[in-house]
Amino acid sequence: MSAPGTPAPARRAARWLPLAPATTLLLLFLAGPVAYCVWLAFTDTQLTGQASASFVGLANFRRAFSDEGFRNAVVLTVVFTVLSSVVGQNCLGFALAALMRRASRPVRTLTGTIVIGAWVLPEIVAGFLLYTFFNRRGTLNAILGQLHLPAQNWLFTLPILAVSFANVWRGTAFSMLVYSAALAGIPRDITEAAEVDGASGPLRFWHVTLPMIRRSIATNLMLNTLQTLSVFGLIWAMTRGGPGNRSQTLPVFMYDQAFLKSLIGYGTAIALLLLLVGALFSVVYLRLMRDEV
């Protein structure tokens, strides 16, 4: 604590002094690399075959918007995010949380263990497991064969749906935990009062449950969307963005351009555009949360 006679600038400096080490580390290991990546996005830097990089302005961004591969990656990223995050993880997580509240303790324990077990698996391990499930000679086709249903190579015919299902399988646990906590926080007397007033189950869900957990829904959607936008290892292990580019989302397209084709500047520009997409989603969700306060 500063002495009473210490000048105001010295007191302010003394308050900020404990934050100096953390601020220095953030600037060194976070802000520094981010600033360097922003610089790379405006250059023609390559991994190989280049003596020195030069500043190219917005050329990488103009190239991206005129690149058919980039536009395809944007569409697939939206499809992947909506299917596996906004619809899949969000809805399935809520359904599991609601059902587990009514289930017996052994059922809750078993379900929680299975769902959370999939969540804690490393992304690359989950990718290989789901690859063996959807492969032409995999588990899914074996089950279909036992049921005398037609089998197919799911990773070739429906690759974006296969990787979307894989992401739902791996990430639903987070939504389930968020909604379990949110539902547990709803006062029981409110739902009992609505039931006494004659409100049916769907009406109680729509007029009582949803309004009271809207902030949890928005928070879960925001976090799930940001995580899904950055999924790379799962898709790379299952399809490598193929066949062709039919499951090549933006992270996979960025990796292909930056490291397989050695176009670091162009790949970094795509990474910044992906960062912008995530920021736009975050602004929308934060706006929804603010409007509900």
Side-chain angles (χ1 to χ4, degrees), residues 11-71:
R11 289 199 301 269
R12 285 195 296 267
R15 285 197 298 267
W16 283 100
L17 189 59
L19 298 177
T23 304
T24 302
L25 290 175
L26 284 175
L27 291 175
L28 183 62
F29 294 106
L30 182 62
V34 168
Y36 180 63
C37 287
V38 172
W39 163 253
L40 287 178
F42 294 93
T43 67
D44 60 354
T45 303
Q46 299 181 25
L47 279 178
T48 60
Q50 184 183 46
S52 61
S54 58
F55 183 80
V56 295
L58 297 174
N60 286 327
F61 297 95
R62 288 194 295 267
R63 175 180 177 178
F65 287 113
S66 62
D67 188 342
E68 183 179 351
F70 174 78
R71 293 197 295 269

Side-chain angles (χ1 to χ4, degrees), residues 51-138:
S52 61
S54 58
F55 183 80
V56 295
L58 297 174
N60 286 327
F61 297 95
R62 288 194 295 267
R63 175 180 177 178
F65 287 113
S66 62
D67 188 342
E68 183 179 351
F70 174 78
R71 293 197 295 269
N72 173 75
V74 170
V75 172
L76 290 177
T77 301
V78 173
V79 172
F80 177 67
T81 302
V82 171
L83 286 180
S84 66
S85 176
V86 178
V87 176
Q89 294 181 17
N90 187 59
C91 294
L92 182 58
F94 183 87
L96 286 173
L99 291 174
M100 287 178 66
R101 283 176 58 83
R102 300 175 178 271
S104 61
R105 186 178 183 86
V107 173
R108 289 200 305 269
T109 302
L110 178 63
T111 304
T113 301
I114 294 173
V115 176
I116 295 176
W119 184 40
V120 300
L121 280 177
E123 190 175 68
I124 194 70
V125 175
F128 280 116
L129 285 175
L130 270 297
Y131 171 82
T132 60
F133 180 78
F134 285 109
N135 191 268
R136 183 169 58 87
R137 298 181 179 179

